Amino acid sequence: MKKKVTKAIFPVAGLGTRFLPATKSIPKEIMTLVDRPLIQYAIDEARAAGIKEFIFVTSRGKSALEDYFDHTPELENTLRKKGKTEMLEMLKNTNMDSGAIAYMRQHKALGLGHAVWCARRLLGNEPFAVILPDDVIAAETPCLQQMVEAHAEIGGNMVAAMEVPDDKTSAYGVLDVKEDMGSVVSVKGMVEKPAPGDAPSNLAVIGRYILSPDVMGHLNKIKSGAGGEIQLTDAIAQEIASADNVYGYRFKGQRFDCGSKAGFLQATVAFGLARDDLKDEFQDYLADMMSIRSAAQ
């Protein structure tokens, strides 16, 4: 019987240098997309997928993340006295029950594989998810939920994949496909940031993973890889070689790279236009702005 995926790792130790000076004092994951921090989108997606235990791999200067998920009795009492029930309901989604969330420190920036490895003692002998909050995915059925449902059927290890233009493959880890079965592909290899023209496919790996405990065993043995870091890709490649049970999953949805300024702005526009309470005013503004720019040109 396949074990359910109930634990997720959130690697959030990065310094967010691409968003300086804002990230000098605010963790990047707390930056708001419309009116919710990036980390809230990741948490909501994990909850929808049935995740019960949330493991954050953090670093110095990330205390605002811990505070965000704590209860705020003073604020809640104030809202209750003013009869603001909708806001109280909204706050409930930001609260975590005692014991549901854990924080691990990554003392050195040694890569994604090292960040995942830092959580090894909290996982036990069961599959786990990894969610990168920078990758925000708009989908009718949340991406990780789609993957968990597929994983329940085939097991093994699974990475979220999306098709990218051939000239963009050098920015991603790319799958070498063994067999294409539609939404699921079996994988015979992974190439990290291949040069243009050298990519084995146009299926790029993005920030959602479901991994077996064997991957953690591989991470235990890896010293360092590209850039002197411990690469998660290397551990997954070892699992391909030893067990041949790695799959890519073509998720249904739109991914935004909120680790880049352009991607963050694109997500802000897309999520703003998707909101019933904002779309009309926002759409009118965008239309007026484009008219003004066209006239100026």
Side-chain angles (χ1 to χ4, degrees):
M1 182 178 176
K2 298 182 182 74
K3 293 183 178 179
K4 289 185 177 181
V5 182
T6 61
K7 298 182 180 181
I9 300 172
F10 301 81
V12 292
L15 297 175
T17 52
R18 284 187 285 180
F19 283 89
L20 284 170
T23 48
K24 178 182 177 181
S25 60
I26 301 172
K28 176 181 60 178
E29 299 79 17
I30 292 294
M31 292 179 62
T32 53
L33 183 56
V34 186
D35 56 5
R36 284 194 292 166
L38 291 178
I39 195 62
Q40 185 68 54
Y41 289 90
I43 288 291
D44 290 345
E45 182 178 332
R47 283 172 166 160
I51 298 300
K52 304 298 182 185
E53 297 182 45
F54 307 81
I55 304 167
F56 284 72
V57 181
T58 69
S59 60
R60 292 179 68 249
K62 298 282 186 170
S63 59
L65 271 172
E66 299 182 31
D67 292 340
Y68 176 76
F69 290 111
D70 204 351
H71 288 256
T72 52
E74 299 87 353
L75 176 58
E76 291 170 19
N77 288 335
T78 298
L79 293 176
R80 194 172 293 110
K81 289 176 181 177
K82 293 184 176 181
K84 297 186 176 182
T85 54
E86 288 186 10
M87 290 186 177
L88 276 171
E89 285 299 312
M90 188 188 307
L91 281 182
K92 284 183 179 180
N93 290 327
T94 71
N95 295 337
M96 286 284 192
D97 293 333
S98 297
I101 192 166
Y103 299 92
M104 307 292 297
R105 281 288 180 98
Q106 184 184 23
H107 296 297
K108 295 181 180 179
L110 295 178
L112 177 58
H114 181 260
V116 171
W117 177 82
C118 287
R120 64 197 181 282
R121 292 190 176 90
L122 297 178
L123 294 173
N125 189 33
E126 57 188 272
F128 59 95
V130 178
I131 300 179
L132 307 188
D134 279 359
D135 283 331
V136 177
I137 300 172
E140 185 173 342
T141 300
C143 178
L144 189 63
Q145 182 180 343
Q146 297 176 44
M147 293 175 66
V148 165
E149 291 171 358
H151 182 266
E153 297 292 327
I154 62 176
N157 301 272
M158 186 174 288
V159 299
M162 69 176 191
E163 295 179 352
V164 299
D166 292 338
D167 61 349
K168 301 293 185 183
T169 54
S170 59
Y172 299 91
V174 177
L175 300 180
D176 191 355
V177 176
K178 178 181 178 182
E179 182 182 0
D180 193 330
M181 299 170 281
S183 59
V184 175
V185 300
S186 61
V187 177
K188 62 181 178 181
M190 296 175 66
V191 181
E192 190 67 29
K193 298 181 178 179
D198 293 338
S201 75
N202 70 337
L203 272 180
V205 177
I206 63 103
R208 303 291 186 275
Y209 306 79
I210 298 176
L211 302 175
S212 73
D214 293 332
V215 169
M216 195 63 74
H218 297 314
L219 287 172
N220 280 330
K221 300 171 186 176
I222 293 174
K223 298 300 180 184
S224 63
E229 298 182 340
I230 296 175
Q231 301 292 340
L232 184 59
T233 301
D234 292 342
I236 296 174
Q238 290 188 26
E239 187 68 357
I240 295 172
S242 63
D244 191 26
N245 65 350
V246 176
Y247 304 91
Y249 183 81
R250 288 188 178 99
F251 61 92
K252 296 179 177 67
Q254 184 177 6
R255 173 255 189 176
F256 297 92
D257 177 12
C258 289
S260 71
K261 293 175 184 176
F264 192 92
L265 291 171
Q266 291 162 11
T268 299
V269 173
F271 278 77
L273 290 175
R275 288 272 296 263
D276 289 338
D277 59 333
L278 297 174
K279 64 181 180 182
D280 291 339
E281 182 179 354
F282 193 28
Q283 199 160 10
D284 289 344
Y285 168 75
L286 292 174
D288 289 344
M289 184 179 66
M290 293 306 296
S291 297
I292 292 170
R293 291 190 64 176
S294 297
Q297 292 174 355

